Amino acid sequence: MLRSAALAQRATRVLGRRHSSSVTVQNLETRWKTLSTAEQNTIAKHLEEAQKADWKTLSLEDKKAAYYVAFGAHGPREPLTGPNNGLKVFGGVVGVIAVSGILFYGIRLKGKETPSTMNKEWQEATNEYLKSQNSNPITGISSEGYKGTGYVVSE
């Protein structure tokens, strides 16, 4: 009985060594991008087969490599933004705001002082026209006892 237990333990060690030695997975995170697609597929299949065995026999490097292949930042999980991306976005936003401010200031320089409908005479004439048309007779400018200024807003 002791002998069979020793043989089983030895077989487990041999299997564990075989899984860890057939494909090198040391520093896989740094080497992954430089490997060809065939090599990546070979490593992924090797790790898949190694995970079917007892996890206690896997080396730490095999476990790290399996995690990286399954969840690492490669392929579709690779980050779209690089370092200092926040500064680029901030610079772009500041640039757009500056251009829009310059554009606004330029348009204001070329525009007239005020529209012709903003003088007091025009607004008083608008009030008289609306009264003659009996506009808003319940609560508005044509109602009895109306005390508001109507459409006169300029002084």
Side-chain angles (χ1 to χ4, degrees):
M1 176 151 178
L2 191 58
R3 188 175 188 182
S4 63
L7 284 174
Q9 188 176 22
R10 185 174 175 208
T12 304
R13 284 189 201 146
V14 169
L15 280 174
R17 281 191 218 126
R18 188 183 74 200
H19 285 305
S20 64
S21 65
S22 63
V23 177
T24 56
V25 291
Q26 281 86 13
N27 298 326
L28 187 65
E29 296 88 4
T30 57
R31 296 184 306 125
W32 187 260
K33 290 183 182 177
T34 61
L35 296 175
S36 68
T37 307
E39 291 172 323
Q40 289 176 353
N41 289 338
T42 303
I43 290 174
K45 287 179 184 175
H46 161 73
L47 291 171
E48 186 178 328
E49 289 298 319
Q51 291 177 61
K52 289 180 182 177
D54 187 13
W55 275 62
K56 294 175 186 174
T57 61
L58 288 177
S59 68
L60 183 61
E61 288 294 323
D62 283 344
K63 291 176 185 176
K64 286 181 181 180
Y67 182 83
Y68 180 76
V69 169
F71 304 110
H74 58 85
R77 292 178 299 276
E78 191 169 4
L80 298 176
T81 59
N84 296 329
N85 188 51
L87 290 174
K88 290 179 186 176
V89 170
F90 180 73
V93 169
V94 167
V96 167
I97 290 173
V99 167
S100 63
I102 291 169
L103 185 63
F104 175 77
Y105 181 70
I107 291 172
R108 293 287 293 184
L109 281 178
K110 297 291 180 183
K112 289 183 179 179
E113 186 64 32
T114 55
S116 61
T117 58
M118 289 302 292
N119 62 29
K120 191 169 186 173
E121 294 82 24
W122 187 287
Q123 293 168 356
E124 288 174 351
T126 301
N127 280 348
E128 293 303 319
Y129 175 75
L130 291 173
K131 286 178 187 175
S132 70
Q133 295 293 317
N134 201 19
S135 176
N136 199 357
I138 298 173
T139 60
I141 197 165
S142 296
S143 64
E144 290 183 23
Y146 180 73
K147 294 181 179 150
T149 59
Y151 286 91
V152 178
V153 291
S154 60
E155 295 183 23

